[in-house]
Amino acid sequence: MPDNDIILNNYVSLGHLNEEIVALWAVTIIGNLEIVLTTPQRLHFIEKHPDIASFESWLSLVVVDPDEVHKDKFDPEVAIFYRSIERNGKIKYYHVAVAMQIYPNAKKHSVLSFRFTQFREIRKGRNEERKVWEKK
């Protein structure tokens, strides 16, 4: 993650989302791939999920190179990015909720939350047919 001086300036860019994923929500892809993390949302996930704070450096990888993406069951404008990462011989599953933008604007695609999850959550999303994209 970037140093705290950068993140305190309201947001930090995490990179660019996969065009195929953005196309599932957006009308316009050109100029509409950047994903950001705002300071309030960073503080939110650190407060609500303090166990994830030491894994914050993985956030960019989860959204830029996810294993799969699901539609949120409550909000059609939210994508759930999942990624499994092996660390120290153990697999951890990451969940990142992202507010997707239909058109490019100042808000960008924005991280809403970041937390650990269990594989059963991913399987449930698959069973409910919310999976919309999978890494090939």
Side-chain angles (χ1 to χ4, degrees):
M1 273 318 277
D3 69 38
N4 287 337
D5 291 337
I6 295 172
I7 206 157
L8 291 174
N9 289 328
N10 299 325
Y11 74 90
V12 63
S13 176
L14 298 174
H16 291 90
L17 297 178
N18 179 305
E19 288 183 17
E20 291 178 13
I21 296 169
V22 173
L24 296 169
W25 276 269
V27 173
T28 303
I29 296 174
I30 297 170
N32 195 19
L33 298 176
E34 187 176 13
I35 182 161
V36 299
L37 172 63
T38 65
T39 300
Q41 290 312 117
R42 178 177 184 259
L43 296 174
H44 163 79
F45 73 69
I46 289 173
E47 179 183 313
K48 296 287 185 186
H49 310 286
D51 56 329
I52 199 79
S54 62
F55 296 89
E56 193 174 8
S57 62
W58 294 104
L59 176 57
S60 180
L61 180 63
V62 175
V63 294
V64 172
D65 189 24
D67 292 334
E68 57 190 77
V69 178
H70 294 203
K71 286 190 176 190
D72 183 76
K73 75 165 98 175
F74 301 111
D75 187 341
E77 294 179 11
V78 173
I80 309 298
F81 289 69
Y82 292 109
R83 170 91 190 218
S84 63
I85 298 172
E86 185 176 342
R87 188 167 186 249
N88 300 326
K90 294 183 179 181
I91 295 177
K92 290 207 176 270
Y93 295 94
Y94 297 84
H95 164 124
V96 180
V98 175
M100 301 297 288
Q101 301 301 302
I102 297 171
Y103 297 100
N105 65 49
K107 281 178 59 178
K108 315 267 186 224
H109 304 287
S110 184
V111 171
L112 299 172
S113 69
F114 176 45
R115 63 177 173 80
F116 293 118
T117 192
Q118 300 293 319
F119 181 74
R120 66 179 172 257
E121 176 184 313
I122 299 167
R123 185 175 45 239
K124 183 177 180 187
R126 290 174 182 169
N127 292 341
E128 294 174 356
E129 299 181 356
R130 289 186 283 114
K131 181 174 79 172
V132 294
W133 184 90
E134 184 174 9
K135 186 188 303 185
K136 296 176 174 107

